[in-house]
Amino acid sequence: MSSSSVVIVGAGLAGLACAKTLAAHGEPIRLFDKSRAAGGRLATRRVELGGRTLSFDHGAQYLTSRGPLFTSMLDVLGAKPWIDAGRRVGVPNMSAIPRALAGGMDITGLRQVTAIEGGPGAWRLRHVAPQRPDRQRPRDLPSEEDGPFTAVVLALPAPQALPLLGGPAPHLAEVLSTVRMAPCWTLMAAFAERLPLPDSQRLSGGPIGWAARDSSKPGRHHEDECWVVQAGADWSREHLERSPEEMLPVLLEAFGKLAGGTLPPPIHAAAHRWRYALTEVPLGAP
C-alpha cells in the first residue's frame, strides 16, 4: 500500500518538472523509472580508463533556454552556456541537471511499468524488472503491484505510453497514436590526440546528423578528446534493429569520413541506441 496520491511514470526532465510542480503545491508524489537513475535522455556515460574517468553526454547534447522561467531554473542548477548563450549544458555533465532536480524525491528505479489497473481515485501500477533490449524477456517474469494512487502521470515517449493507456484510457491512446518519434544511434569515442574538427557540427543528408567534442563543454576535462556522434533519423531507422556491437564499426567508419578519411585508433569506443530520441510529428496540442 502506498501513501502517495500521484504517481509519475518516467523520471526524465518532463517527469521531474511535473513532480517538482506538484510537490510545490503540497501534493505527495512518487516516481517510477526503468533506468537506474533519473534523467531519461539527459544522460551521461562514464568510463574508467587508465586511472581516469572519461565522460560522454550520449543523450541530449544541450538544453535550449528560451523562456525566463526555464532560464532561471537552469541558472539555479548551475547550467552553463555552450556554443552560444541560448544553449545550456549541465556541469560537470548533463546528468547533473536531473540529479539536482531529483534530490529528495521518492523515485523507484529499475522498474518498468507494464499496466495501469483500477479506476479513478484508486489506480494501481504493475511493474517488472526491465529487460535488456538484446535479451528475450522470460514469459513468467514476476511482476509487482503498487497503489492505490489518485492520479497517474505518464511522462514517457508516446510509443511507450500507448500500451499503458489501452486499458484505462483508450481515447487517449487514440490521440497519442498520431505522434511519431525518430530513433538515434550514438557513438561515444575517445582518442589520444586531438581531431582536426570543430567542436560541434550539424549535418544533413548522410549517416551523421550531429558530432560534438564533448570534452569542449564547460566543466569538462579539456585535455581529454571525447566525442559524441549522433546518426541521422532516417539512417538510424534503417539500422534500428542491429546490435551495438554491429553498429560500432559502422559508426566509426562514418565518423572517420567526416574527419577526413581516417581516424586515429580510439582509446575507447561504444555505441548506444535511443529508440525514441526526437519527436518528428508532435501531438500539436498541450
Side-chain angles (χ1 to χ4, degrees):
M1 182 71 68
S2 171
S3 60
S4 301
S5 60
V6 176
V7 62
I8 301 171
V9 184
L13 184 58
L16 293 172
C18 178
K20 295 290 274 191
T21 302
L22 289 171
H25 286 80
E27 192 74 38
I29 55 94
R30 187 171 175 192
L31 294 105
F32 279 80
D33 199 279
K34 67 178 182 179
S35 297
R36 186 179 302 276
R41 284 164 285 178
L42 289 176
T44 302
R45 179 80 59 88
R46 299 170 187 83
V47 179
E48 298 296 326
L49 187 70
R52 58 176 170 158
T53 302
L54 302 177
S55 177
F56 303 89
D57 294 330
H58 64 301
Q61 294 295 285
Y62 54 83
L63 293 170
T64 304
S65 173
R66 296 189 180 96
L69 289 176
F70 192 46
T71 298
S72 63
M73 185 195 80
L74 293 176
D75 289 340
V76 170
L77 296 176
K80 301 295 183 185
W82 179 60
I83 301 176
D84 56 50
R87 288 183 258 199
R88 307 283 290 275
V89 299
V91 176
N93 46 55
M94 288 300 287
S95 63
I97 293 174
R99 190 164 56 247
L101 285 173
M105 292 188 181
D106 184 0
I107 302 176
T108 301
L110 293 176
R111 300 302 296 176
Q112 183 170 353
V113 175
T114 57
I116 302 171
E117 300 173 345
W123 298 106
R124 307 189 74 85
L125 298 185
R126 286 204 169 275
H127 50 90
V128 299
Q131 192 76 2
R132 280 180 49 176
D134 57 346
R135 294 182 182 175
Q136 186 176 0
R137 182 182 297 278
R139 293 183 180 180
D140 58 346
L141 196 66
S143 67
E144 297 179 13
E145 185 180 281
D146 266 277
F149 303 101
T150 58
V152 180
V153 177
L154 298 183
L156 299 167
Q160 293 178 324
L162 281 173
L164 299 179
L165 291 169
H171 59 293
L172 294 180
E174 183 177 355
V175 171
L176 279 187
S177 66
T178 63
V179 176
R180 183 184 180 194
M181 300 198 70
C184 178
W185 273 107
T186 297
L187 168 69
M188 296 159 277
F191 303 90
E193 58 190 80
R194 187 177 178 87
L195 303 185
L197 291 169
D199 287 345
S200 68
Q201 292 185 74
R202 189 173 296 282
L203 304 106
S204 60
I208 295 176
W210 167 266
R213 181 178 282 110
D214 208 57
S215 47
S216 72
K217 294 177 179 176
R220 276 60 169 177
H221 295 291
H222 298 307
E223 65 274 14
D224 294 332
E225 183 71 359
C226 295
W227 282 83
V228 171
V229 180
Q230 294 180 326
D234 291 339
W235 192 87
S236 293
R237 189 176 286 113
E238 181 183 346
H239 300 281
L240 183 61
E241 300 304 336
R242 298 180 70 178
S243 70
E245 293 75 19
E246 289 177 304
M247 290 304 298
L248 179 57
V250 179
L251 287 163
L252 282 170
E253 180 182 6
F255 185 39
K257 291 178 180 177
L258 180 65
T262 59
L263 290 170
I267 59 175
H268 171 78
H272 179 85
R273 179 185 61 192
W274 296 97
R275 186 175 288 274
Y276 306 114
L278 300 168
T279 303
E280 288 184 319
V281 179
L283 183 63

